[in-house]
Amino acid sequence: MENFRRWRQSTRKAAANRFIFVGNAVPQNASPPAEYDRQKFCDNEIVSSKYTALNFLPKNLFEQFRRIANFYFLCIAIIQIVSDSPTSPITSILPLIFVVVVTAVKQGYEDFLRHRNDRQVNEQLIDVVRNGELQKVKSKDIHVGDVLRIEEDDSFPCDLVLLASSYAEGKCYLTTANLDGETNYKMKSCPKLTRDFNDPEKMDRLRAHIQYQQPTVNLYQFVGTLTVYSTRVAPEDSSELLASSDTDGGVASLGLDNLLLRGARLKDTDFVYGCAVYTGQDTKLGLNSLLTNNKFSTVEKSMNYFLLAFLVLLIFEIALCTIQKYAKQPYLADAFYLGELPPTSFGGVMQDLASFLIIFNYVIPISLYVTLEMQKFLGTIFFVWDDDLYCPVADERAVCNTSDLNEELGQVEYLLTDKTGTLTENCMEFRQCSIGGTKYIEEDCVLMRATDNSATSLERVEEFSAEVEDFLITLALCHTVTITGNNKRKKKLRASRTEIIPGMENTAFQFHRGDYDYQASSPDEKALAEACQRLDMVYCGETNDICRVLFQGQERLYSRLHVLEFDSDRKRMSVILQFPDDSIWLLCKGAESAILPRCDFGPVSETESHIKDYAMMGLRTLAIAVRPLSAEDYEEISFQLDQAHQALTDREKKVSEVCDLIESHMTLLGATGVEDQLQDGVPETLESLRAAGIKVWVLTGDKLETAVNIAHSCGHFKRGTELLILSDPEKTEETLENLEKKIIDTRDRHFGMVVDGQCLAVALKQHRDRFSQIARHCEAVVCCRMSPIQKAEVVKLVKGFPGKPITAAIGDGANDVSMIQEAHIGLGLMGKEGRQAVRCADFAFARFRFLRKVLLVHGHWYYWRVSSLVQYFFYKNIAFITPVVFFTIHSAYSTQPVYDPYFLTFYNILFTSLPILIYGLFEQNFTAPQLLEHLHLYKDITKNALMSWGQFFKWNLLGVWHSIVVYFGCLLLWQSDPAFFDSGITLDYWSFGTLIYHAVIFIVSIKLAIESRYWTALFIFSILISVIGFIGLTFLYSGVVFNALDNEQMLFVYVTVLSTGSAWLFTLFSIVTALLPDFIVAVWETYSVGGGVLVNKRHTPGQIVRKKLDRTYSLLSQSRLGKFVISKKRGSSSSERPQPTSYETRRTSNLQTHRETCTESIGQTPCEGPLEV
């Protein structure tokens, strides 16, 4: 973020716009602005790494010691060095070094990989036009103003303004998967003034300057102008700026259509020439990479509170022991063996405080952070490897972009989901349309006319009427669809083959009928273009702004004059075309709310009624309108558009105002209905999540009726749900009051809520608390007509509910990124709207139904493992260090540790670290089938149940009990100074501490085995290797004198202790006595908590839900299989056509099942849900 702040400061000081010369060639008579020489641009070197060879050590150490635990142990080590420490400083320094080194190696390796990737990008050779020829230049040496040549399939090294391409019309195709995740082709075009400069020699003669805005993070905004100087006179002699009417020069506006972004890849174009305008960190990709969103898990927050509690406990113990030492000091005056006691002084008190701090500090688990990071990182591998989350159709496995939030998957209380592409397939199919107030249906590539308003009686359209032809022409031309070049080459080959087949009818058309592969910015546009192709109105592409259409084998040419791009504010797009008869027309399509009010002619009321019918069937709708333009109108419109496009300030606003003027007084032709089918398993998944206690909100851009119908179809609104509708923005306050009163009066009802986007904006701004209160009482919520920023606002609203519930947001498109990043957990779906949602999400997978296992299984396991790991770390340190406190009391607060420094050093980092790590990777308190069958188990762990203060005290009180058993049991063994051997030899102080430590290692290891519900061979092996390794290393440590370790006092101590039967009997006694309460608690939790899942074989709530699901959704299954027999009357002179299968079955069943339900729901009467068959 430091780089981001520096960039913000630099932009504040910079000029309003940038001014550069193309190719950095300054014409002799050019007059650049005064700030031209003061402009400073960053280089094109990409630096994504955090460290360099020089700053790695200091910077990494600084970042690591910002952690409280690391800084705490550093302070302890320093105190041990500078004071008269009762233990060796190595007991704190060695574990600290271990943790720091492991973390540094991990972060250093990750940064090494970033350096390697940066080097590959920066050392890439790029063709740059210099002195009339192409020179190979390293990517990092590119400067603003350089003219670059990019070949097909190469990515752009910086942000470029397109100047020329291999296409004569100056267009090119590219993909922006690395930027916004969109995998479809996008078309860019160059200004007409420079499209002929398509080789190095010509480009070297080009003299022009570009004035454009300073760098911005907005991927979808670029404003600038290109000024071309005359080239009729040699540049070295003069430089003359011509008027816009001169063909040798002029001024052209630059926008997003002319900008090639770094990271995008050139496709289906041999080469392009572009001028570098943003380099390095100033590129849009570079600026967006600076904006990070850090998320912290609930467990991590609770862990910090627990650490704070342990620090308070530590301070209390130190203060109490220091006070007690000086309070008991007079009683030691008669102890002649202690000699003369030193006088009380400030220095002595401080020394005692430091000594107590040193011997008690091990209550803080130093290796907790590094073990937790390793557990989370390794745990994500199993998420990716899960075959149940693999989609064979898309050939995609699950993706985990961060390991910091694994356990949050088990804490979700609200799921906010997109609809299109998330609940549905986002595979659009054209189904119906309304033309001239009459309904039409496509069946098997044939257009059928409805003879009644219900569309149950159909007749075949043998010949297109003028209004049908006009409608299809509008659909075939009003878009930004492109055709890939590979398919064009295939068409030429297929054409030559089809033309020689005798008897082939309409050969000019037939080879086109199914050959074109369209690429579009939205699935709706592609579906409409393909529908036109099936109905013999084939769009064949565009060359030099000439659009070619084949209608029943006849070629028609249309000149494209202007394209008014779609934007979320206008909710429509238009094209201005010159028809073959030289007439000029505006063709417009968009949301009916944005089209119908602007139509003065046409069947508005009939079309609006048909649109509502389509919405009730769950179809996505678009309205289609046209407007004729006279030559004078077009000249005025063209002038206004050019002026708006050349504006450097408020360009979007000015263009939108002009578009509003143009797109008015239109004639309505009709509307389209496109179907987007539900994904498999969506109803079952939603019902499972509901049974698990997760509330689901659907956020969609569809209209209200469509959203309600889909909500019923997918089971989001259950039978008996009473819908609360908020759809009139002018009556928002009144409606909210009525809804609140209804909820208070009828608390026993199940409520669902439907909110329109405009009403939501008013509610969030003026009635936020009341709206929040109403929404909390609803079991299911649907928000329709939502913009991307509104989705994020809704997530923020839910996060602010009482109790601060954990939210998850799931979506598949770039418009879902804002809510994915706002939610506690972001889930991306690998859909057809690109991969930006996948890149920005914390977890990603291919199908919505996978969410069931992701949350209910992986989420449950992750949370159980992490919470148990954290609690176990605090527990084992309590069990380990509390005997030191007890010994301090019995040693007259002498600050003498009971353990040898060797034991203090390796307890956390060696002897008890491996079993808990294996536990954290493989533990399963319930199997996956049990978790999917007993759905209430998920709800039992939400609200951070396993990290509550009650659980914290349970674990640590058991740890205190274990320390009491071990210490006082050992003390009883030593109390009478008994002989441990037949020879009468007794054991000393070091043997006392060694036996306590020996028992603690056994107890904490077996305690973990008791806590585990899933014993694996690897888990048992980890416990055995830890215990055996402890015994072996301690034998070695006490059997050989190491001068560096100063272990003479431990010579043969451990060997002697273990050679006595008393020590082994004590070990067995302490294990049984200490762990008996743990065993009882574990048995009770296993067989009682969670409804007795392991022993209750009767029908559980989960089984009941499954049985209900099987019955409730049998209708949907039969419908998909086409088992319903539906008859229709058809009036047509043609031969009888085969009965349709998939669509007619679905459409009719939708009508029979949901029409009455949704009609009642929209009228705010109780909805009875799907009819049972």
Side-chain angles (χ1 to χ4, degrees), residues 484-585:
T484 57
N486 293 334
N487 290 308
K488 292 178 181 178
R489 289 190 283 271
K490 292 178 183 178
K491 293 178 187 53
K492 294 179 181 178
L493 178 61
R494 293 175 184 173
S496 62
R497 292 176 179 175
T498 14
E499 288 173 349
I500 62 174
I501 299 177
M504 174 78 67
E505 296 180 0
N506 292 333
T507 56
F509 166 72
Q510 289 293 335
F511 70 86
H512 285 287
R513 187 177 179 91
D515 287 346
Y516 281 123
D517 183 15
Y518 294 118
Q519 294 284 344
S521 57
S522 72
D524 300 78
E525 280 201 337
K526 183 177 180 181
L528 294 178
E530 291 174 343
C532 290
Q533 182 177 237
R534 294 192 298 269
L535 298 175
D536 292 1
M537 186 71 72
V538 185
Y539 174 71
C540 303
E542 173 259 339
T543 304
N544 289 327
D545 293 330
I546 302 298
C547 300
R548 194 162 65 95
V549 174
L550 282 177
F551 178 55
Q552 297 179 349
Q554 297 180 357
E555 183 179 69
R556 300 181 181 181
L557 302 180
Y558 301 85
S559 177
R560 181 182 292 173
L561 305 177
H562 284 286
V563 177
L564 310 182
E565 295 285 353
F566 174 87
D567 66 64
S568 57
D569 294 329
R570 289 170 43 239
K571 297 181 181 179
R572 58 187 181 273
M573 68 88 59
S574 302
V575 295
I576 300 177
L577 297 166
Q578 186 175 29
F579 277 47
D581 60 357
D582 292 335
S583 62
I584 300 175
W585 288 82

Side-chain angles (χ1 to χ4, degrees), residues 8 134 278 288 439 503 546 676 743 823 847 857 1100 1116:
R8 290 293 302 270
L134 296 176
Y278 301 127
N288 278 272
K439 288 184 177 180
I546 302 298
D676 189 7
I743 291 176
R847 308 294 289 176
V857 178
T1100 61
L1116 292 176

Side-chain angles (χ1 to χ4, degrees), residues 38 51 284 303 433 452 487 545 602 609 710 788 841 850 892 955 1173:
R38 298 194 299 268
Y51 309 108
K284 293 187 179 293
M303 187 175 69
C433 61
D452 56 10
N487 290 308
D545 293 330
S609 175
I710 293 295
F850 294 164
W955 277 84
V1173 177

